[in-house]
Structure formats: C-alpha cells, structure tokens
Amino acid sequence: MKGQALKGHLDLLVLSVLAQGPCHGYGVIEQLRARSGDAFDLPEGTVYPALHRLEQAGLLESEWSEDSGRRRRTYRLSESGRGALVTERSAWEEFSDAVSAVLSGVPWPRPT
Amino acid sequence: MKGQALKGHLDLLVLSVLAQGPCHGYGVIEQLRARSGDAFDLPEGTVYPALHRLEQAGLLESEWSEDSGRRRRTYRLSESGRGALVTERSAWEEFSDAVSAVLSGVPWPRPT
DNA sequence: CCTTCATACCTCGGAATGCTAGGCATAGCC
DNA sequence: GGCTATGCCTAGCATTCCGAGGTATGAAGG
C-alpha cells in the first residue's frame, strides 16, 4: 500500500473495526491487516494517535484492563461514535462513487 | 463533500481529467465538478498548487496561450504522467477494495 | 541468567497536503 | 464606472500520517 493513501479515511477504518466489538490498539492494527487482506499494515505511530483523537472527540470510550500482567487499553464505540460511523460511511461511498465517475471517462490501457 | 476527504487522491483526479485532453487550470476545476456530479467543487488554492506540483514532478507539461486577450496555461499529460495515471489508478482500486473489505464486516443500519 | 522476540503502550518531530484568504488582471454587461 | 465571471497566483495555517525512538512485560531458547 502506497504511502499515506488513507489520509482522511483512517477514522472510518478504525471505527469500522470497533463497530464489531471492543478492541485494544494493537488488536485494531491486526484486525485491519487481516480484514484488508494485508493491504493495510499500519504503524503504531499512526493508529495510537488516531485512537486518542477519536476518544478526545467523544467517538470512543476506553478502559484500562490487566490481562496476564499486561496492561491494555480497550476501546469501545460510543453512541456518538456509532452515529459518526454511519455518517463517515456515507461520505466514503459518496467520495468513492465520485472518484469512480471521474475515472470512468479515462481510457484504460488494459483489456476492458 | 466533506472537507479534505480527497487527501492523497487529488493527483489521480487531475491526471484523469487531463488524460481526456489538454486543459487549463480553471477548466480542470469545472471538469471535475461536472464529471463528479457536483461532488468535487475544488477551490483554486487546491488545484493550482497541485498542477504545479505535478508539472514539477514531470507528469505534466504546460504552455501559455493567449485566447481573446486572456492568458491561459494549458496543461497536458506527459509520457510519465500517463504512466503515473496507470499506477495511481491501480493504487486507487486496491485502496478502494481494501476499504470495502473492512467495511463489509460492519453491520449496516440501512436495508442492505 | 540473559538475550531475543512478540506483545502492548506512548510521544516527538518531520513531511506532505488541502484550504482559507488574499492578490492581480481582462472581458463583458449594466 | 461598477460588478461579475474568467483566469492566474502565493503565503501561511491546520490537519494528518508516519518514522524513530522510548518504556515495559511474558515466553522461549541458550
């Protein structure tokens, strides 16, 4: 995956993962890698600040837990977060369709 | 269209427009608006620097022209630009598919 | 015991990018 | 003359992603 292609869409991805159940930061990274078929392999320096940002914005809630001597911070979607996910998903679809529309006019050098 | 959702994908859009024929800056903005069904209404402060960047990178070539007393700068895809368009389009499709894959796991509150 | 690796968290600073806000100039219309 | 549309430009700000570095625990291997 080319550098910083996901600019502006990271929030949507993180919210999507957490919509399927609470998870901690490291787990979010693994989920994204798994669900995207290895396309998204995000560095920690990308994901952790994003989680903090989303919590700051009230879209996530977090809770510390101790699991076999390891401290973890588990994130969960808030009600606002659930709403934001719906909004962001719509925005993504609109955006994606718009890009497709622009691209559809471009001659494509491959067989159809 | 929500603010700066197109981060990182602007180049692809501009190259796509210019792949369909030479055009000047103002025209690129209009083309994008038209082809996207008004989804993309980009400010000049976004598009002009992008054109300069792409020319700097060798993906575009430009030429000044005088049309009824108005000076215009007409941009054209270079060979490199044509190659970059292919690369960027592939990258977009990969990215788009990856996002879709992640989203596909999210329960969607609307009828399918 | 000690090293190494995987897990798990964090932050700082750089780099890129888009946008707001301003400016300049010409043509056409009222 | 004034206003709008066309057509170009730049400076500086804000946001965002990422590389690099730091901390700490547990398990595995020697």
Side-chain angles (χ1 to χ4, degrees):
Chain A
M1 176 69 48
K2 213 194 67 185
Q4 68 248 40
L6 46 73
K7 278 207 177 171
H9 306 289
L10 176 60
D11 292 3
L12 170 62
L13 294 174
V14 171
L15 291 175
S16 295
V17 167
L18 290 173
Q20 296 165 74
C23 195
H24 60 288
Y26 207 85
V28 169
I29 294 176
E30 290 176 329
Q31 294 271 320
L32 281 176
R33 186 170 39 228
R35 291 183 199 279
S36 70
D38 287 343
F40 295 134
D41 190 9
L42 308 183
E44 304 180 357
T46 294
V47 175
Y48 286 120
L51 289 168
H52 299 161
R53 213 187 334 157
L54 291 170
E55 184 173 25
Q56 197 75 18
L59 307 185
L60 301 183
E61 290 157 0
S62 74
E63 201 179 359
W64 284 102
S65 63
E66 194 84 19
D67 197 14
S68 63
R70 278 216 194 79
R71 63 183 199 135
R72 284 177 168 181
R73 191 157 161 184
T74 302
Y75 291 91
R76 191 182 329 98
L77 266 194
S78 69
E79 268 319 301
S80 299
R82 226 164 273 281
L85 175 54
V86 172
T87 304
E88 293 239 350
R89 180 163 186 168
S90 298
W92 160 256
E93 253 138 39
E94 195 189 340
F95 174 71
S96 175
D97 288 351
V99 173
S100 295
V102 173
L103 286 184
S104 68
V106 181
W108 190 228
R110 293 292 178 80
T112 313
Chain B
M1 176 69 48
K2 214 193 66 187
Q4 69 249 39
L6 46 74
K7 280 209 179 168
H9 307 288
L10 175 60
D11 292 3
L12 171 62
L13 294 174
V14 171
L15 292 176
S16 296
V17 167
L18 291 173
Q20 296 164 74
C23 194
H24 60 288
Y26 207 84
V28 169
I29 294 176
E30 289 175 328
Q31 293 272 320
L32 281 176
R33 187 170 38 228
R35 292 183 199 277
S36 69
D38 286 344
F40 295 134
D41 190 9
L42 307 184
E44 303 180 359
T46 294
V47 174
Y48 285 120
L51 288 169
H52 299 162
R53 216 187 335 166
L54 291 170
E55 184 173 24
Q56 197 73 21
L59 307 184
L60 301 183
E61 289 156 3
S62 74
E63 200 179 0
W64 284 101
S65 62
E66 194 85 18
D67 196 15
S68 62
R70 276 215 195 81
R71 61 183 199 135
R72 284 178 168 179
R73 191 159 162 183
T74 302
Y75 291 91
R76 192 183 329 98
L77 266 194
S78 69
E79 268 318 301
S80 300
R82 225 163 274 281
L85 175 53
V86 173
T87 304
E88 292 239 351
R89 180 163 186 166
S90 298
W92 160 258
E93 252 137 39
E94 194 189 343
F95 175 71
S96 176
D97 288 350
V99 173
S100 295
V102 173
L103 286 183
S104 69
V106 181
W108 188 229
R110 291 295 177 78
T112 313

